[in-house]
Amino acid sequence: MLNGGGVIQVGKDLGLSQGCVICANNAKLILGDKFRCNYSTTIDCSGSDIKIGNNVVLGWNVTIKNNDGHYLVENGNDSIISKEIIIKDHVWVCAYATLLKGICIQKDSVVAYGALLTNTIDKESLLYGGVPAKIIKENISWRE
């Protein structure tokens, strides 16, 4: 779904399963080459860009959301906060994981089943897990 000048840019060899919800609202969503998205995954790109690299796999029921979704009212002023999300090349996000605004996942990394990723760690080849997610292992990779 595109709203308010939203753009979705798709690379080569895209794979989407049933029930995926992909929205771009006043922002740009970039899906790299060989992007795979499993059942019932949601990508909500509003107000800031989401950039997903090449050879990225999302498990089922993954949520990627770069915005608060509702306005916060502080001292009588409405604001909705959105921040860019970057997922670099060759990343696997396992089922039921949630990725929130402002994070960057470095290449060759894995986000474990059910993890809630709220912070960026500037290292490659990590396994993130837990709620909130933290580094479980370093110097890892993965393959299909």
Side-chain angles (χ1 to χ4, degrees):
M1 178 171 69
L2 297 173
N3 285 317
V7 173
I8 299 175
Q9 178 181 317
V10 178
K12 300 175 198 157
D13 196 15
L14 174 75
L16 299 176
S17 294
Q18 294 176 351
C20 292
V21 176
I22 298 176
C23 303
N25 181 19
N26 196 28
K28 187 173 188 178
L29 171 61
I30 300 169
L31 305 174
D33 295 342
K34 295 186 179 179
F35 172 76
R36 301 285 182 266
C37 185
N38 277 298
Y39 299 96
S40 300
T41 285
T42 299
I43 302 173
D44 180 359
C45 176
S46 295
S48 293
D49 296 345
I50 296 177
K51 299 173 184 172
I52 300 177
N54 300 322
N55 302 303
V56 172
V57 176
L58 305 180
W60 61 89
N61 292 300
V62 167
T63 299
I64 300 174
K65 189 168 181 65
N66 72 345
N67 62 85
D68 292 334
H70 294 281
Y71 287 94
L72 297 175
V73 180
E74 183 177 359
N75 298 320
N77 297 314
D78 287 352
S79 68
I80 189 163
I81 299 172
S82 65
K83 293 181 183 174
E84 180 179 63
I85 291 176
I86 299 171
I87 301 172
K88 301 227 176 150
D89 293 344
H90 197 248
V91 170
W92 174 23
V93 180
C94 297
Y96 293 97
T98 301
L99 312 179
L100 297 181
K101 66 184 180 197
I103 61 104
C104 177
I105 302 172
Q106 300 297 327
K107 72 178 189 172
D108 296 323
S109 293
V110 176
V111 179
Y113 187 100
L116 172 63
L117 191 57
T118 60
N119 293 310
T120 293
I121 299 170
D122 290 327
K123 287 185 178 180
E124 298 176 354
S125 305
L126 298 177
L127 171 61
Y128 296 93
V131 177
K134 60 182 181 177
I135 298 172
I136 303 295
K137 290 187 179 183
E138 296 186 38
N139 302 313
I140 62 101
S141 191
W142 65 276
R143 60 187 164 110
E144 290 185 66

